[in-house]
């Protein structure tokens, strides 16, 4: 039975939208967001965005964006343990993380 036809399941699926869906299609802007995450100046905003994205993998998201680690490097992390999502879902969550991080930065600038 296909996913769409199952009845009674209300499990939320991982976001799998492309960068353009989040308004982050410009690679230069994404690199700027990555640099801001790695700088450490916006640690609180990054942490909030990670937990808002998915609390179960927030630590993996933070490590991925701050240390530039791929899913393969994080899959069996000795400190965090095994990651509980697959590769495609992880990168979907990672794109959503950058979107939420961007929103937090814009919110901070406007306040």
């Amino acid at each position: 039975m296909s996913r769409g036809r199952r009845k009674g399941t209300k499990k939320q699926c991982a976001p799998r939208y492309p960068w353009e869906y989040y308004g982050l299609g410009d690679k230069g802007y994404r690199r700027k967001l990555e640099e801001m995450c790695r700088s450490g100046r916006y640690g609180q905003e990054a942490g909030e965005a990670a937990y808002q994205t998915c609390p179960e993998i927030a630590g993996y998201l933070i490590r991925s964006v701050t240390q530039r680690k791929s899913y393969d490097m994080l899959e069996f992390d000795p400190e965090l343990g095994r990651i509980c999502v697959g590769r495609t879902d992880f990168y979907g969550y990672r794109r959503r993380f950058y979107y939420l991080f961007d929103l937090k930065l814009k919110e901070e600038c406007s306040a």
Side-chain angles (χ1 to χ4, degrees):
M1 185 178 275
S2 71
R3 279 186 164 173
R5 303 182 105 194
R6 291 183 192 165
K7 293 185 180 181
T9 58
K10 293 193 178 195
K11 183 178 178 183
Q12 185 176 356
C13 295
R16 292 190 179 181
Y17 302 112
W19 289 107
E20 290 76 19
Y21 176 83
Y22 296 115
L24 299 172
D26 180 25
K27 285 185 180 184
Y29 188 67
R30 286 196 314 253
R31 285 195 179 115
K32 184 178 176 184
L33 286 174
E34 290 173 6
E35 290 172 13
M36 293 170 86
C37 284
R38 279 187 264 128
S39 73
R41 276 184 59 195
Y42 303 97
Q44 182 179 355
E45 291 85 354
E48 290 173 5
Y51 278 97
Q52 190 175 358
T53 301
C54 182
E56 292 85 18
I57 64 166
Y60 297 98
L61 287 171
I62 294 294
R63 188 163 290 182
S64 174
V65 298
T66 58
Q67 299 176 5
R68 295 188 89 181
K69 289 195 173 190
S70 67
Y71 175 84
D72 294 331
M73 298 296 291
L74 294 171
E75 188 174 11
F76 299 105
D77 191 273
E79 293 176 23
L80 297 173
R82 187 157 186 202
I83 193 166
C84 61
V85 298
R87 173 178 294 147
T88 304
D89 291 342
F90 177 76
Y91 285 115
Y93 282 122
R94 191 168 178 224
R95 287 188 293 271
R96 180 156 173 78
F97 162 80
Y98 279 117
Y99 167 70
L100 294 173
F101 180 67
D102 183 43
L103 287 181
K104 291 204 177 288
L105 292 178
K106 287 179 180 175
E107 181 180 292
E108 185 179 288
C109 289
S110 67

